[in-house]
Amino acid sequence: KWRTTQELVNLTLPEHLDCAQKIFGTSVGLGVRVFLPCPMGKSNGRVSSGRAICKTDTINVVPFEQEEQEIVRRGIVLKYTPSLGQLTVTIRFRRVTGEARMLPYLQ
């Protein structure tokens, strides 16, 4: 086993939402599973796609809540290993289906 310095940032609480939005954008805590092809070539531009969320969709939510509801805390973890120049982003989300369960996250 080897040891090295790692920088770790957890974005899980309501007060972390502002910081997460500055890094990832204003819709950081909400998403649907979709495949976006992003070719890596000479032009490394952004790829984006969008559609309206329907009440029958299943959405992935990073709740940014004070009290966790699951055993594993939901949120975004940024881990940087300077010796490798490697940034790892881990997103732990909650799957939400149905209009009544979605509405609190969309307001």
Side-chain angles (χ1 to χ4, degrees), residues 66-86:
Q66 196 67 36
E67 299 295 326
E68 66 269 11
Q69 295 179 11
E70 296 91 359
I71 295 172
V72 176
R73 185 156 187 80
R74 303 299 181 213
I76 301 172
V77 178
L78 305 173
K79 182 172 63 172
Y80 180 66
T81 309
S83 63
L84 300 175
Q86 181 180 32

Side-chain angles (χ1 to χ4, degrees), residues 2 4-9 77-90:
W2 54 274
T4 186
T5 303
Q6 292 183 347
E7 305 292 333
L8 187 68
V9 177
V77 178
L78 305 173
K79 182 172 63 172
Y80 180 66
T81 309
S83 63
L84 300 175
Q86 181 180 32
L87 175 67
T88 304
V89 180
T90 304

Side-chain angles (χ1 to χ4, degrees), residues 4-73:
T4 186
T5 303
Q6 292 183 347
E7 305 292 333
L8 187 68
V9 177
N10 289 299
L11 303 170
T12 59
L13 298 173
E15 54 266 24
H16 299 156
L17 179 58
D18 185 50
C19 178
Q21 286 177 331
K22 288 177 182 173
I23 296 170
F24 297 105
T26 56
S27 60
V28 64
L30 183 66
V32 294
R33 185 168 294 203
V34 65
F35 175 73
L36 292 176
C38 184
M40 301 301 284
K42 290 184 180 179
S43 66
N44 290 331
R46 289 185 171 190
V47 175
S48 64
S49 176
R51 70 172 181 83
I53 295 175
C54 301
K55 55 183 162 184
T56 57
D57 284 345
T58 298
I59 61 173
N60 301 329
V61 175
V62 178
F64 294 101
E65 57 195 4
Q66 196 67 36
E67 299 295 326
E68 66 269 11
Q69 295 179 11
E70 296 91 359
I71 295 172
V72 176
R73 185 156 187 80

Side-chain angles (χ1 to χ4, degrees), residues 17 21 26 30 59 61 63 99-107:
L17 179 58
Q21 286 177 331
T26 56
L30 183 66
I59 61 173
V61 175
E99 183 178 10
R101 293 186 64 207
M102 268 189 226
L103 285 177
Y105 299 107
L106 298 175
Q107 297 173 353

